[in-house]
Amino acid sequence: QVQLVESGGGLVQAGGSLRLSCTASGTILRIEDMDWYRQQHGKERELVARITNGGDTKYADYVTGRFIISRDNAKNTAYLQMNALQPEDTAVYYCHAEIRSSWLPRFDDFWGRGTQVTVSS
């Protein structure tokens, strides 16, 4: 069984920084994209940042220049460095990954349980 576990959320003042981590464990043959999504209260889950296995990145416009996604393939871990946080960044942040976990030629979607990020003004 594959699991994604996020860590690093918490309470921070506006202008502060947090670093989220997401580690995949279990039977893992390969991880393709690793993503960070967020869900604000009463809103749909949205993509914040994506990193491919080769290191290419994509960001939502509202985090470009403030957030940095990275990964360590040897550790099956993705990170999200969040700087200049604002109250509107308050949300539950979820990790998502496309993982091949068997000898079948396919990748399945896995999600973490989320970590709360709260930014006070």
Side-chain angles (χ1 to χ4, degrees), residues 4 6 20 22 33-40 43-51 58-60 62-63 67 69 78-80 82 89-98 109-117:
L4 296 181
E6 303 104 332
L20 306 183
C22 168
D33 294 352
M34 296 189 79
D35 314 314
W36 287 98
Y37 283 75
R38 73 184 187 187
Q39 188 166 19
Q40 298 169 312
K43 297 185 178 180
E44 294 187 352
R45 196 173 296 186
E46 59 185 5
L47 177 67
V48 175
R50 168 169 293 155
I51 186 166
K58 174 183 177 180
Y59 296 92
Y62 50 81
V63 303
F67 292 8
I69 189 171
Y79 306 95
L80 185 67
M82 304 186 293
D89 294 315
T90 295
V92 178
Y93 285 73
Y94 295 91
C95 179
H96 166 265
E98 299 173 338
D109 293 311
F110 292 91
W111 290 88
R113 293 188 175 184
T115 184
Q116 175 71 46
V117 171

Side-chain angles (χ1 to χ4, degrees), residues 98-110:
E98 299 173 338
I99 299 175
R100 183 179 179 187
S101 58
S102 75
W103 293 109
L104 294 173
R106 73 171 194 226
F107 289 81
D108 295 313
D109 293 311
F110 292 91

Side-chain angles (χ1 to χ4, degrees), residues 16-90:
S17 299
L18 284 174
R19 188 191 195 211
L20 306 183
S21 299
C22 168
T23 298
S25 63
T27 302
I28 297 170
L29 299 185
R30 182 178 172 87
I31 303 176
E32 286 298 330
D33 294 352
M34 296 189 79
D35 314 314
W36 287 98
Y37 283 75
R38 73 184 187 187
Q39 188 166 19
Q40 298 169 312
H41 183 67
K43 297 185 178 180
E44 294 187 352
R45 196 173 296 186
E46 59 185 5
L47 177 67
V48 175
R50 168 169 293 155
I51 186 166
T52 68
N53 182 277
D56 293 329
T57 59
K58 174 183 177 180
Y59 296 92
D61 289 343
Y62 50 81
V63 303
T64 300
R66 299 190 297 128
F67 292 8
I68 300 171
I69 189 171
S70 60
R71 67 191 279 176
D72 184 334
N73 289 335
K75 295 181 178 180
N76 293 330
T77 298
Y79 306 95
L80 185 67
Q81 177 66 43
M82 304 186 293
N83 301 318
L85 283 161
Q86 300 301 316
E88 51 266 35
D89 294 315
T90 295

